[in-house]
Amino acid sequence: MLISVTRMRVKGMWMLPFFIYHIVRSTKQLKMAAGLLHSDLTRDNWRVGWTMSVWENKDRMLEYRNHGNHAEAMRIARRIGDELEAVHWDAETIPSWEEAKIRLHQKYGRELDQNKR
């Protein structure tokens, strides 16, 4: 399985409606995506959102990522978010959010804030 975890911080309150709009559309696309095994969303606060998706393989994830609503969201992401991060890895089981957050923060050279587990 391929695990894909993303983190995005919205630039400010005025961008929150755009963020929500694209999350809803991308999630709708995600629910119909071939090869999706699991997906989940969480947040640290109103500005920081996380996604986790688990795929049969990398090709299935790329089919989703590079097309439709999600591709459109990626094109405008830098306008609405000021921190856009992602990490991918192969695994035999679906990770916990704690593991997912630790892996992403390690990739970017940060410690996971104990208050955000």
Side-chain angles (χ1 to χ4, degrees), residues 6-59:
T6 66
R7 176 183 176 274
M8 181 175 173
R9 186 175 82 168
V10 177
K11 285 184 178 179
M13 184 81 70
W14 63 96
M15 290 296 175
L16 194 55
F18 298 102
F19 177 68
I20 293 169
Y21 172 78
H22 286 286
I23 285 288
V24 168
R25 293 187 71 212
S26 294
T27 300
K28 200 180 235 185
Q29 176 189 348
L30 182 66
K31 290 181 182 200
M32 299 184 322
L36 178 71
L37 302 174
H38 172 79
S39 67
D40 199 8
L41 302 170
T42 192
R43 60 188 175 91
D44 289 342
N45 54 53
W46 72 266
R47 285 186 75 180
V48 179
W50 291 79
T51 68
M52 179 192 314
S53 55
V54 180
W55 300 89
E56 290 175 357
N57 55 53
K58 184 178 180 179
D59 291 336

Side-chain angles (χ1 to χ4, degrees), residues 2 4 26 29-36 53 55-72 74-75 88:
L2 177 75
S4 175
S26 294
Q29 176 189 348
L30 182 66
K31 290 181 182 200
M32 299 184 322
L36 178 71
S53 55
W55 300 89
E56 290 175 357
N57 55 53
K58 184 178 180 179
D59 291 336
R60 292 295 195 180
M61 183 273 292
L62 292 175
E63 286 173 21
Y64 165 75
R65 188 193 76 181
N66 296 335
H67 296 92
N69 296 326
H70 189 270
E72 181 183 330
M74 286 177 49
R75 281 191 292 277
H88 304 89

Side-chain angles (χ1 to χ4, degrees), residues 76-94:
I76 63 98
R78 291 258 178 237
R79 285 188 255 160
I80 63 175
D82 57 6
E83 291 179 8
L84 304 163
E85 302 170 335
V87 65
H88 304 89
W89 72 94
D90 290 312
E92 297 294 320
T93 60
I94 296 170

Side-chain angles (χ1 to χ4, degrees), residues 5 50 52 87 89 95-104:
V5 174
W50 291 79
M52 179 192 314
V87 65
W89 72 94
S96 66
W97 270 114
E98 182 175 1
E99 178 185 352
K101 289 180 177 188
I102 287 169
R103 281 181 178 260
L104 186 132

